[in-house]
Amino acid sequence: MLEVDERFNPIEHIRQVEKDSLVIIENAKAEAEKKLSKARAACDEKFKAYYNQAAEKLHEEFLQKNADALKAHKKQLEEYKESLLQKSRNSQEFDSFLTKSLF
């Protein structure tokens, strides 16, 4: 037969187990929060690096496309100016047109 210690109080023992459990749970929560914080920081850093890399790439593409568009625009403008210079100027015909149209 088992001997029962008269000083053993089961209610007090259960309360102590609950207190110990609470401490363990709080420590686990703190550790989990620390790990989540560290993981969040690492993810944020990685995201920022990818974001900056993508933004830089898009900026470079924009600058290149803008430069190409400016070249094409300048070329078209020069071609238009050249075509205007190639046309003959007939001021008598123009004067006649204005006279007919306005008077």
Side-chain angles (χ1 to χ4, degrees):
M1 216 163 153
L2 292 173
E3 290 184 33
V4 177
D5 188 1
E6 291 179 17
R7 292 175 291 163
F8 179 73
N9 183 349
I11 302 294
E12 189 58 39
H13 177 71
I14 291 172
R15 291 178 77 199
Q16 187 60 44
V17 168
E18 285 179 348
K19 285 180 184 177
D20 293 346
S21 298
L22 184 61
V23 169
I24 291 170
I25 290 170
E26 291 300 320
N27 288 343
K29 283 181 183 178
E31 185 67 26
E33 188 59 41
K34 199 183 300 181
K35 287 180 180 181
L36 282 173
S37 242
K38 192 175 181 180
R40 246 186 237 115
C43 286
D44 287 346
E45 189 176 317
K46 189 182 275 190
F47 172 80
K48 187 176 179 182
Y50 285 134
Y51 178 84
N52 288 338
Q53 184 180 16
E56 183 65 30
K57 182 181 175 186
L58 289 172
H59 184 68
E60 292 293 327
E61 287 176 8
F62 166 76
L63 291 177
Q64 184 61 45
K65 287 180 180 180
N66 190 39
D68 293 344
L70 287 174
K71 283 181 189 177
H73 179 262
K74 189 173 182 179
K75 182 180 175 186
Q76 285 178 339
L77 189 59
E78 291 300 321
E79 288 173 355
Y80 177 70
K81 286 179 182 179
E82 190 64 37
S83 72
L84 289 178
L85 291 175
Q86 297 297 326
K87 294 193 182 233
S88 62
R89 296 180 189 154
N90 190 344
S91 56
Q92 286 178 343
E93 197 174 306
F94 182 69
D95 290 341
S96 166
F97 170 74
L98 285 179
T99 304
K100 288 179 191 175
S101 297
L102 298 175
F103 302 108

